């Protein structure tokens, strides 16, 4: 699938609020971008406020509303850039380079899917669920977090029409205690799934990929790498492939067929 042409666009912040412990939801007014973003693609966002920080921050989105001209991003505050992003207020302006990367693919003939999110991997997974709902593909969801206070998105997935939303937390404070992979293995054992879409910590996605392979179910993963340019020019974001080659996460990904990746 070919992405729409990547370009530099201005945005202003509509809202920027905490939605869970360490998780923020920012809504950008970005009419030049919103109508071109496809689920699974990402934006490379410049956070103003520190001239020494020249790198943009790559961020997936959970909802791009073409009519309203807005893009919603849920992000974790992990370092200096996302801390400065968390301080941006309604009306503040900056730029994004977008759309970047390739979207989640609709797998031909797939009638039932499962989406699996770990931590802040929920952001592109919510966009994926919206894509599936719009394409009339039935889906269930597995959402995992370290603890209940860091969970976001289960209600959104239900509103989007998820048949079931299985929640797992590492400490058992919400849903079942354990990992997303435990819940996924049980769902796949019931049968009837054609494809699994997942984003989360790499170790989780490796587990999801293995379970899918064993169950004979197609699996698409959204990978994360440190990124400098975000459009295939610098070579910092390599992902090792099972055939011994490397692909760029920003340009060839971030979505890959799990079978392609060297886990
Ligand atoms: C395609 C893509 C989509 C992403 N989507 C989201 C999203 O929707 N929501 C979200 O919260 N985060 C997302 N990320 C991760 C996000 O880009 C990083 O958390 C952010 O760049 C950290 O910047 P910082 O300046 O706050 O932290 P830094 O000070 O740069 O780093 C803080 C910590 O985060 C790690 N880190 C930094 N950048 C990345 C990265 N690109 N991938 C993995 N670890 C990183 C560092 O190793 C360090 O441990 C995405 C990354 C990619 C590549
Ligand atoms: S970030 Fe530069 S090639 Fe991917």
């Amino acid at each position: 699938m070919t992405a729409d042409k990547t370009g530099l666009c201005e945005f202003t912040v509509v809202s920027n609020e905490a939605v869970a412990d360490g998780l923020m939801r920012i809504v950008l007014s970005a009419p030049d971008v919103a109508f071109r973003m496809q689920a699974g693609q990402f934006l490379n966002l410049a956070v103003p406020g520190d001239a020494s920080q020249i790198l943009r921050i790559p961020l997936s989105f959970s909802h791009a509303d073409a009519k309203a001209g807005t893009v919603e991003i849920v992000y974790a505050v992990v370092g200096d850039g996302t801390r400065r992003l968390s301080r941006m207020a309604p009306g503040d302006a900056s730029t994004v380079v977008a759309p970047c990367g390739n979207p989640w693919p609709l797998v031909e003939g797939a009638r039932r899917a499962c989406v699996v999110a770990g931590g802040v991997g929920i952001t592109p997974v919510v966009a994926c669920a919206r894509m599936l709902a719009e394409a009339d593909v039935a889906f269930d969801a597995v959402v995992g977090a370290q603890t209940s206070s860091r969970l976001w998105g289960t209600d959104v997935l239900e509103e989007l029409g998820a048949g079931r939303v299985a929640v797992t937390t590492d400490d058992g404070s919400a849903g079942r205690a354990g990992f997303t992979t435990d819940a996924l293995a049980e769902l796949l054992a019931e049968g009837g799934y054609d494809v699994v879409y997942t984003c989360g910590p790499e170790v989780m996605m490796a587990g999801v990929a293995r379970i899918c392979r064993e169950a004979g179910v197609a699996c698409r993963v959204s990978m994360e790498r440190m990124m400098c340019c975000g459009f295939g020019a610098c070579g910092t974001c390599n992902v090792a492939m099972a055939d011994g080659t490397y692909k760029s996460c920003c340009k060839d990904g971030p979505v890959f067929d799990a079978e392609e990746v060297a886990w």
Side-chain angles (χ1 to χ4, degrees):
M1 213 174 292
T2 329
D4 196 354
K5 205 162 175 259
T6 307
L8 182 69
C9 302
E10 293 176 351
F11 73 81
T12 52
V13 175
V14 176
S15 61
N16 193 14
E17 296 154 349
V19 289
D21 190 12
L23 278 192
M24 302 281 294
R25 172 182 175 271
I26 191 167
V27 178
L28 314 177
S29 173
D32 295 341
V33 168
F35 75 97
R36 295 190 292 144
M37 297 301 299
Q38 297 178 59
Q41 292 184 302
F42 66 95
L43 311 95
N44 226 353
L45 191 151
V47 188
D50 184 345
S52 71
Q53 297 297 316
I54 54 166
L55 291 185
R56 291 171 177 271
I57 296 185
L59 292 166
S60 304
F61 70 94
S62 41
H63 186 28
D65 186 332
K67 252 191 192 162
T70 56
V71 180
E72 174 196 78
I73 299 165
V74 173
Y75 64 97
V77 180
V78 294
D80 178 62
T82 45
R83 204 167 298 122
R84 280 184 289 111
L85 181 62
S86 73
R87 292 191 201 115
M88 288 188 81
D92 286 352
S94 186
T95 60
V96 286
V97 174
C100 296
N102 296 296
W104 295 111
L106 278 170
V107 172
E108 210 181 320
R111 295 211 310 271
R112 189 159 172 236
C114 188
V115 296
V116 183
V120 78
I122 187 70
T123 304
V125 161
V126 163
C128 182
R130 188 169 278 106
M131 172 190 83
L132 295 171
E134 285 168 3
D136 275 335
V137 177
F139 67 95
D140 293 323
V142 180
V143 179
Q146 288 169 343
T147 188
S148 60
S149 64
R150 294 186 66 86
L151 266 175
W152 178 82
T154 52
D155 51 346
V156 184
L157 291 166
E158 277 161 12
E159 280 163 26
L160 287 171
R164 279 184 284 185
V165 180
V167 173
T168 66
T169 47
D170 299 357
D171 62 3
S173 54
R176 65 186 275 178
F179 297 129
T180 52
T181 40
D182 304 327
L184 176 69
E186 281 178 17
L187 286 178
L188 294 196
E190 292 175 15
Y193 292 96
D194 302 304
V195 57
V196 169
Y197 297 91
T198 186
C199 184
E202 196 149 322
V203 62
M204 181 203 91
M205 292 195 288
V208 169
R210 180 182 47 76
I211 290 165
C212 289
R213 189 181 319 116
E214 287 166 5
V217 174
C219 179
R220 301 291 180 269
V221 298
S222 181
M223 307 291 288
E224 269 193 26
R225 286 291 180 273
M226 299 294 286
M227 289 184 179
C228 287
C229 72
F231 47 79
C234 71
T236 52
C237 67
N238 283 340
V239 179
M241 297 285 112
D243 65 3
T245 63
Y246 288 89
K247 286 193 174 174
S248 72
C249 187
C250 66
K251 194 157 179 270
D252 302 318
V255 176
F256 292 94
D257 184 330
E259 286 298 300
E260 276 188 274
V261 177
W263 299 105

